[in-house]
Structure formats: structure tokens, C-alpha cells
Amino acid sequence: MDEVFAQSKKFFDLPHIEKMKLLRDKKNRGYTPMLDEILDPENQVNGDYKEGYYIGVEVPADSPEANKPFCGPNQWPAEEVLPKWREVMEQYHREALRVAKSVARIIALALDLDVDFFDRPEMLAKPIATLRLLHYEGRVSNPAKGVYGAGAHSDYGLITLLATDDVVGLQICKDRNAQPQVWEYVAPVKGGFIVNLGDMLERWSNCIFRSTLHRVVLDGRERYSIVYFVEPSHDCVVECLPTCKSETNPPKFPPITCSAYLTQRYKDTHADLSSYSDGKA
């Protein structure tokens, strides 16, 4: 984890023109510039004061799988620019997936499902698992004026494993429907993960598990975090689990494929790629 943080900083320290050569593509792989993402448009006056880098499961361009959304080859910095960078990120990707599958087994037991429920081929055996490196610039957030490191949102998928440096910034709201909302800081955990539950788990569990509403409020210090989003395979149908419904508690959400759900959520929160001239600047 220390090595991933070190390598992440090396990338974000590159000149802007170098990072823009790796601007995220239509598969959502690569660099996202400062202000690219707006997670809470009702309350934000502009985008998030963060830059990021998406790394998915590596799929060769000539593979039939590469035709699916969120599937294909990753974009990698040149070896001569950042030696070992790809190797470190791919190793972390594998290790984080192993941890995520362990967490998913605990969730399965909590929902009275078979322990290996989420290990099935259509679920986490072939997941859309995405590593995202994040760098928040040294700017003070001001929620009263709509300025955030990251606007309030819940993650889209099953679970998220979040590793942070020792700079506080993450806030959660335990009751999103409360008026006014109450926000509290989550202390960084050295060498550990903060586990966020995602919207797909809320749909699957018929709201037995609620996704975590969270945001980033900065105190003027730079901040780095490593996010690992875990979603099932593209064709997985997310619908109310048999153990989570009854005559008095019918399903609250219609079935939807993972791919369709994610595609819409990313489209809603990221800038259109055509807004960057020539797609790269």
C-alpha cells in the first residue's frame, strides 16, 4: 500500500501536459483532470477539486470481451517515464480484489445467503473491479459556498475499499434523509481499509444495507487516496435477493443489469469527453 501511494504521487507530480496524454477514454480508463467530475450538482458550484486515474481489469483489445463497456486495455504511463508503475498497480489490483471477495462473503452470510453467493461467475468471478488513484489539491473546502474536494455521493457498486493517507477529509452522513444532514469525519486508518457500501448492494438487499453517503471536505492540505470499486460482471442482473423480500416488504427497485446501471451513473457525473479539445487537452 505504501508503494502504491508513492507511485501515485509520482504520477500526479508529472507536468499537466504529460498527464493529459493519458486522458480517460470511452472505457473510462486513464486520467481525470481537476474539476472533471461533479458528484453533487445541486450543491456544487463547480467540479470536485481532485484529479484521478482509473485502472480496470486488463482486457486485450482483440478480446471479444473488449467490446463491452468498462472493458478493454488500460492506459499506462510509459515505462521510461514511470518505471515499475504498471507492475505495482496490477499487483495492488489483484490483492485488493482478494480482500473484496472476503468482505463479500461476510455480507452474504449477513443476508442469510450461501457464503460463496457473490463468488459466482456472473458476479465477482469476472467483476468490473476498478482501482482509482486520487489526488486532492491543497485548497480549503467551503460547503456553505458549494466548494468541495468531492461532492456528496454514494458509490455505485457492491462495495468500495478506501485507503487514505493521514490527512483527514472524508465525511459520512449516516442518515441522508435527516434535515439538516449531520456530517462527521472518518479518521484515516493507516494500513487499513474504510469499507463503503454501494448503491447496488442497497438495491440487491432491498435497503437492508444502505449505501454510504459521503463527501470530501479539505482543510487546505494536499490529500491522496486509493479507491477500489467492486462491481459484478456486466451481464449480472441486480434484483432483490430472495432473503430480502416478503409479502410485507416487496422489492423496492426493478431489476437492472450491472452494465446499464454503471453506464448511466458515470455519464451523469463526468464531463463529456468532447469538452476537452482534440480529446486530449
Side-chain angles (χ1 to χ4, degrees):
M1 290 173 79
D2 288 343
E3 185 65 15
V4 175
F5 274 110
Q7 293 290 344
S8 173
K9 186 175 187 305
K10 285 182 179 178
F11 173 79
F12 290 120
D13 282 346
L14 291 174
H16 182 68
I17 193 169
E18 287 296 318
K19 291 183 285 190
M20 289 302 285
K21 291 176 182 177
L22 296 160
L23 181 68
R24 66 180 169 88
D25 56 23
K26 291 178 181 177
K27 300 288 189 175
N28 227 58
R29 307 290 180 86
Y31 177 61
T32 54
M34 205 69 67
L35 306 180
D36 176 88
E37 192 172 13
I38 183 161
L39 291 165
D40 185 12
E42 287 186 18
N43 294 305
Q44 286 180 262
V45 293
N46 45 32
D48 294 350
Y49 281 96
K50 70 175 190 292
E51 54 184 342
Y53 201 94
Y54 282 113
I55 302 167
V57 177
E58 184 74 21
V59 175
D62 58 358
S63 166
E65 293 284 305
N67 294 320
K68 296 179 178 179
F70 310 107
C71 232
N74 284 297
Q75 298 198 71
W76 299 107
E79 181 73 17
E80 61 270 19
V81 176
L82 292 176
K84 282 181 57 186
W85 202 85
R86 175 175 179 172
E87 178 187 331
V88 168
M89 297 305 163
E90 289 190 321
Q91 181 183 353
Y92 186 89
H93 206 296
R94 290 191 298 271
E95 291 293 313
L97 182 58
R98 181 178 58 80
V99 174
K101 286 181 176 180
S102 296
V103 175
R105 291 181 190 116
I106 297 169
I107 290 171
L109 291 175
L111 293 172
D112 293 323
L113 301 166
D114 292 338
V115 66
D116 60 353
F117 178 84
F118 292 109
D119 291 331
R120 296 188 216 177
E122 71 273 20
M123 294 189 187
L124 297 186
K126 295 185 74 174
I128 307 173
T130 305
L131 171 60
R132 193 179 190 197
L133 311 173
L134 291 173
H135 168 232
Y136 296 87
E137 70 174 18
R139 165 184 295 266
V140 178
S141 298
N142 188 336
K145 293 185 176 179
V147 177
Y148 299 90
H153 66 288
S154 51
D155 294 336
Y156 314 150
L158 180 64
I159 57 172
T160 303
L161 302 180
L162 173 65
T164 73
D165 60 14
D166 58 2
V167 177
V168 296
L170 176 68
Q171 292 185 333
I172 62 167
C173 175
K174 291 179 180 174
D175 182 0
R176 68 178 66 201
N177 297 317
Q179 290 296 332
Q181 290 179 333
V182 177
W183 290 91
E184 54 191 289
Y185 280 102
V186 178
V189 182
K190 174 68 175 174
F193 289 112
I194 296 164
V195 181
N196 277 332
L197 305 183
D199 295 336
M200 273 190 209
L201 182 58
E202 182 169 312
R203 292 177 76 105
W204 247 327
S205 70
N206 211 23
C207 297
I208 290 174
F209 280 120
R210 307 304 287 261
S211 55
T212 314
L213 186 66
H214 57 287
R215 67 188 189 186
V216 175
V217 175
L218 303 167
D219 62 6
R221 291 179 289 172
E222 275 189 300
R223 181 175 180 268
Y224 293 86
S225 65
I226 304 164
V227 196
Y228 193 73
F229 300 108
V230 183
E231 288 106 14
S233 73
H234 290 78
D235 302 324
C236 180
V237 177
V238 179
E239 59 183 330
C240 184
L241 296 165
T243 58
C244 299
K245 60 185 176 182
S246 65
E247 286 186 17
T248 56
N249 186 27
K252 296 176 176 64
F253 305 97
I256 189 170
T257 65
C258 177
S259 181
Y261 184 73
L262 286 180
T263 298
Q264 188 57 51
R265 292 296 297 271
Y266 277 100
K267 185 178 178 183
D268 288 344
T269 54
H270 283 285
D272 193 308
L273 284 172
S274 63
S275 65
Y276 298 104
S277 62
D278 299 323
K280 291 287 179 182

